[in-house]
Amino acid sequence: MEKAKNILTSHKFVRAILWLAGILAILAVAVVLVFGGRGRNVDIEPVIPDNTTIIDVKSGDSLSKILSSQGINHNDINTIAKVLKDKAGITGLRADRDKIEFVRESDATDAPIEKIVVVPGPWRRVELTCDDAGKWDCNAIDIERDTRLVYRQGEILDGDSFYLAGMRADIPAGILADVYDLLAFEMDFERDVRAGQKFSVVYEENYHDNKKIDNGSVIVVSFDALRGNVKMYRFRKSDNTIGYYDPNGNGAIKSLKRTPINNAKVTSSFSTRRKHPVLGFTRAHKGVDFRAPTGTPIPSAGAGRVVARGYNRGHGNFIKIRHNGSFETLYAHMSKFAKNVNVGTVVKQGQIIGYSGSTGLSTGPHLHYEIIKDGKHVNPMTVKLPAINNLDAANKQKFLEYRETLDKAIEGLVDNPKSFIQM
Ligand SMILES: [Zn+2]
């Protein structure tokens, strides 16, 4: 990443030229659309030059698969992979997000390749070129972005879910999912959400040439939950790591999630006594059940190591993860396990470990989730969970000053919901 930045700053001139070329290309397209439309049909699809092939990365694709499909030989593929890794920090392609452009010397489909451009999202282009000696090099270009902070607020109505209320408040689905992920550390959406509660979100919108391209991160989220206001701020520490903190600067991201699956309804709570739906007699329910159609991805509630993966009569297909400290979590009734998740696998928080199902003693597809603390089952909805990434004194001071400035700026947005904070 750093290397890519250095390349970038020393190539400001090149970048300016590329910008100009980009603007001219857009103007050319606009001219085609305006003048070409008279008297004959024109293709409104984006104009791709005949010597350029654009490939959208799909699930199952790999860099070598795509490169070899364009006639790049094995040696060059290895070199390109190394250059991308060393100079642009790109180690793999992401399906449904990344693109690769192949620019040939002429329109002929077998013409030699002049340039390969890896496009990891709308804000970066990594151009690979090969010199006469056959040496590949790359140039990473960051696309200039103009970030605005916008404010949205909403209210839970009778019979509402947080999701519906969020959509009504004009919060984009992706941002809403992130908000849900954050609040899930602090809130039990079954019991903490009631009609009349208010919430607000401040998030980034990214613009280029005054056109909105995408949404960025959630900056502040606030929810008036039943047991009080839950508020979190996104903050970058002096070592550049990013986290979310409560108004006092305490880490808001906990080591474990109370609700591993987003927006899932609790169908059975933790209890020391309940009538078992299959066995019929009364016994403790040592976890929480979340409704989840078969095949719903199940993320790990926290970072840890898989200590058990298998099948038993009660749990069906299950996975158990040991986390740092004294906590373990268990996920039961899975239809299948995620690929490459085995006993001993180290998983990140949020990494998909399997898919919901109804294996074992189960009346329908759901996730049965347990948290075990020091060998004893505890209620996932109420257990006190340790925070990760807490702030040291210097960062806490910096956070409190930042929060005060941000809060003042947000006051302006509350009064003028159509305005934004220019970053
Ligand atoms: Zn259960």
Side-chain angles (χ1 to χ4, degrees):
M1 279 309 231
E2 282 311 305
K3 271 187 186 160
K5 269 189 192 149
N6 291 339
I7 292 168
L8 186 83
T9 44
S10 65
H11 282 69
K12 274 204 170 136
F13 177 70
V14 175
R15 194 164 62 164
I17 295 288
L18 285 162
W19 268 103
L20 197 60
I23 289 163
L24 286 174
I26 289 163
L27 282 176
V29 172
V31 167
V32 166
L33 293 180
V34 172
F35 296 103
R38 293 180 188 158
R40 62 190 172 92
N41 290 328
V42 285
D43 198 355
I44 307 291
E45 292 287 300
V47 177
I48 299 163
D50 286 341
N51 68 335
T52 303
T53 308
I54 300 178
I55 294 180
D56 295 307
V57 178
K58 299 254 162 50
S59 156
D61 278 347
S62 66
L63 182 68
S64 61
K65 194 172 154 189
I66 293 175
L67 293 179
S68 72
S69 78
Q70 295 297 308
I72 312 258
N73 72 45
H74 187 71
N75 277 346
D76 282 341
I77 291 175
N78 286 340
T79 314
I80 289 170
K82 191 167 174 352
V83 168
L84 278 176
K85 180 171 175 250
D86 295 349
K87 296 204 166 174
I90 293 176
T91 51
L93 300 176
R94 296 161 307 170
D96 305 321
R97 290 185 66 173
D98 299 352
K99 287 183 195 334
I100 302 188
E101 299 175 10
F102 294 88
V103 182
R104 293 180 187 277
E105 284 172 12
S106 76
D107 294 356
T109 48
D110 58 351
I113 286 171
E114 190 177 274
K115 189 169 67 176
I116 300 172
V117 190
V118 178
V119 188
W123 305 108
R124 204 165 176 230
R125 289 174 66 79
V126 180
E127 304 193 342
L128 289 144
T129 45
C130 186
D131 66 13
D132 293 341
K135 188 175 167 288
W136 285 92
D137 202 359
C138 83
N139 182 23
I141 300 157
D142 282 334
I143 310 293
E144 215 160 283
R145 93 174 93 174
D146 147 32
T147 298
R148 303 172 182 182
L149 300 192
V150 296
Y151 175 87
R152 300 279 184 270
Q153 60 174 337
E155 183 178 344
I156 308 285
L157 299 184
D158 233 352
D160 227 354
S161 69
F162 170 60
Y163 187 79
L164 281 176
M167 295 301 273
R168 215 173 38 240
D170 204 19
I171 300 170
I175 293 291
L176 205 49
D178 291 348
V179 166
Y180 202 105
D181 266 345
L182 287 169
L183 291 176
F185 285 108
E186 279 299 320
M187 287 174 53
D188 168 355
F189 280 88
E190 285 297 303
R191 283 186 244 170
D192 281 346
V193 176
R194 294 284 183 280
Q197 289 170 344
K198 294 198 165 89
F199 57 89
S200 66
V201 179
V202 175
Y203 64 91
E204 296 171 331
E205 285 185 345
N206 296 315
Y207 283 73
H208 177 69
D209 277 349
N210 274 324
K211 195 173 149 249
K212 191 187 157 190
I213 306 294
D214 63 4
N215 298 308
S217 305
V218 173
I219 303 299
V220 187
V221 54
S222 170
F223 197 111
D224 290 327
L226 206 56
R227 60 190 172 82
N229 178 262
V230 175
K231 197 166 188 179
M232 300 176 184
Y233 295 79
R234 186 177 196 264
F235 175 67
R236 188 187 293 270
K237 289 202 286 191
S238 43
D239 66 0
N240 263 333
T241 53
I242 287 168
Y244 285 85
Y245 303 88
D246 74 13
N248 299 317
N250 302 311
I253 308 291
K254 302 296 191 286
S255 58
L256 292 179
K257 286 198 154 175
R258 300 184 192 281
T259 310
I261 320 179
N262 261 357
N263 220 6
K265 200 169 171 51
V266 173
T267 50
S268 176
S269 303
F270 181 91
S271 77
T272 44
R273 285 169 63 82
R274 75 150 186 182
K275 194 169 173 177
H276 193 279
V278 175
L279 298 174
F281 54 82
T282 300
R283 68 170 209 181
H285 186 230
K286 291 175 168 181
V288 176
D289 293 342
F290 298 98
R291 183 180 299 157
T294 300
T296 305
I298 300 172
S300 171
R305 194 169 58 84
V306 176
V307 291
R309 195 200 82 157
Y311 180 92
N312 70 37
R313 205 174 89 84
H315 286 137
N317 291 323
F318 74 98
I319 280 182
K320 193 176 190 184
I321 296 173
R322 171 164 283 283
H323 306 279
N324 296 337
S326 53
F327 286 96
E328 289 174 304
T329 52
L330 182 142
Y331 313 78
H333 311 306
M334 291 182 179
S335 55
K336 59 176 183 175
F337 302 117
K339 260 190 278 175
N340 305 323
V341 172
N342 298 300
V343 173
T345 302
V346 173
V347 293
K348 290 183 198 152
Q349 187 167 55
Q351 183 177 334
I352 305 303
I353 52 168
Y355 301 87
S356 67
S358 191
T359 55
L361 284 179
S362 164
T363 51
H366 73 284
L367 166 68
H368 168 94
Y369 172 58
E370 295 178 1
I371 298 184
I372 301 139
K373 189 186 176 195
D374 299 323
K376 199 169 159 278
H377 285 86
V378 291
N379 185 348
M381 293 309 185
T382 54
V383 63
K384 201 166 158 26
L385 294 167
I388 50 180
N389 64 15
N390 272 314
L391 298 174
D392 58 25
N395 274 300
K396 196 169 229 173
Q397 187 54 39
K398 210 176 132 212
F399 168 81
L400 293 174
E401 287 162 15
Y402 163 78
R403 196 208 75 191
E404 204 172 310
T405 313
L406 188 59
D407 280 346
K408 280 220 178 74
I410 292 170
E411 272 174 38
L413 295 185
V414 177
D415 299 334
N416 309 288
K418 287 239 150 65
S419 61
F420 56 86
I421 302 170
Q422 183 75 56
M423 296 303 282

